[in-house]
Amino acid sequence: MVSCPDPYLKPPGTAESVPPAAPAAPPRRDPVWSGWDVVLLAAVAILGILVFSTLGIVALVVATPGHKPPSAGEVTPIALMAQLLAYLVVVAVMYLMVAVRYRQRFWDAVRWRWPVEKTAAPALVIAGAVIALLVQWASAWLPVPKQLPIYEFLKDTSAAYLMAAFGTLVAPFVEEMFFRGFLYPVLARRAGVAAGVVLTSIGFALIHASQLGNHWAPLLVLFVVGLTFTLARAWTGSVAVPFLLHLGYNGALFTLLYITTDRFRHMERMLQ
């Protein structure tokens, strides 16, 4: 018998034992949440806005001498506060859903990837502003009604400032988190990227339908804008990119309104 001097060497001709392969881990679902989770987020947003709006209006009516119906200028701050509170609840539910229920890093799971280059973020904001200018130009060729329901909330100067702050600083973040962060990847996983882009853009336009009086022309414009944002999300794989576009877009619209109405003091010029 031939001895083996080194215990870590095998004699010639000895078959080497191969350890059994570990079972492959199932691929992680991307995104980790389901379509029902997105439905839950939408329900929380709708219910939150209804509850907070009702509480605010009731409190205003009770506090008003004679319990007179509130004016549009009084309703706007209540509506914005209700929407802000509802949005805070929605973002909290988003975080708990991802970080607690699915035990994933929140910002990684929602693909919040901030542009690496220093000039990229300002460039995206500027690009969003350019989109807004193009939309204003295109709207002049479409039968967009002169009076839309959203204008009722802008007739008061103070209300217009509140709308501008909310529409620029709050709405782009929450809307992008919901539509491009949570809704789009679920639709893309189930129906494909192309269908996910289109369906997400339709949903984005429809949530503004009541503000636009359900008129097809402004809704078509908003669908195209949403399509641009969703394509940016699909192309870059980042929610931060459409957020920056959205920030520049809304900021430019309110800046144009601020200039054309002489610092929100002549809101009747919106109808000219």
Side-chain angles (χ1 to χ4, degrees):
M1 177 180 288
V2 180
S3 62
C4 181
D6 191 337
Y8 295 99
L9 296 178
K10 295 183 178 296
T14 304
E16 184 176 358
S17 61
V18 179
R28 185 172 71 89
R29 186 174 61 177
D30 184 22
V32 295
W33 53 85
S34 68
W36 289 112
D37 292 324
V38 179
V39 172
L40 173 64
L41 292 175
V44 169
I46 296 172
L47 183 62
I49 292 174
L50 289 175
V51 170
F52 290 128
S53 298
T54 302
L55 292 176
I57 293 175
V58 169
L60 178 62
V61 171
V62 171
T64 302
H67 304 309
K68 297 180 180 179
S71 63
E74 294 172 324
V75 169
T76 300
I78 294 175
L80 291 178
M81 180 57 66
Q83 195 167 353
L84 175 61
L85 293 174
Y87 278 3
L88 291 175
V89 173
V90 169
V91 172
V93 174
M94 287 178 177
Y95 180 83
L96 293 174
M97 181 184 297
V98 175
V100 177
R101 180 180 179 184
Y102 293 109
R103 300 182 181 277
Q104 300 292 325
R105 292 183 177 180
F106 180 75
W107 298 110
D108 291 340
V110 299
R111 300 294 190 269
W112 185 268
R113 298 169 179 169
W114 197 260
V116 177
E117 297 183 4
K118 294 182 179 180
T119 58
L124 288 168
V125 173
I126 294 173
V130 172
I131 294 173
L133 294 176
L134 292 174
V135 164
Q136 290 295 101
W137 174 81
S139 297
W141 299 89
L142 293 173
V144 177
K146 290 294 183 180
Q147 292 203 19
L148 294 172
I150 192 173
Y151 293 163
E152 293 297 322
F153 296 96
L154 294 170
K155 287 184 176 180
D156 182 77
T157 301
S158 300
Y161 275 106
L162 290 175
M163 283 284 290
F166 182 86
T168 304
L169 303 177
V170 179
F173 174 76
V174 180
E175 290 179 5
E176 291 309 315
M177 288 293 290
F178 177 79
F179 285 100
R180 260 63 70 170
F182 279 78
L183 177 60
Y184 165 73
V186 168
L187 294 175
R189 180 180 65 198
R190 179 170 293 272
V193 172
V197 168
V198 173
L199 292 174
T200 301
S201 305
I202 292 174
F204 177 74
L206 289 180
I207 66 160
H208 300 88
S210 61
Q211 298 175 347
L212 302 175
N214 296 310
H215 291 286
W216 69 267
L219 283 175
L220 176 62
V221 170
L222 205 54
F223 167 75
V224 174
V225 172
L227 194 67
T228 304
F229 294 165
T230 314
L231 285 172
R233 162 67 173 88
W235 181 264
T236 64
S238 169
V239 179
V241 170
F243 161 72
L244 291 168
L245 291 173
H246 201 158
L247 180 67
Y249 176 84
N250 282 14
L253 290 182
F254 281 109
T255 299
L256 288 173
L257 185 62
Y258 177 83
I259 294 172
T260 56
T261 59
D262 189 18
R263 293 175 289 178
F264 300 141
R265 293 184 300 182
H266 298 282
M267 303 305 292
E268 70 278 0
R269 296 178 183 176
M270 293 186 301
L271 307 178
Q272 298 176 357

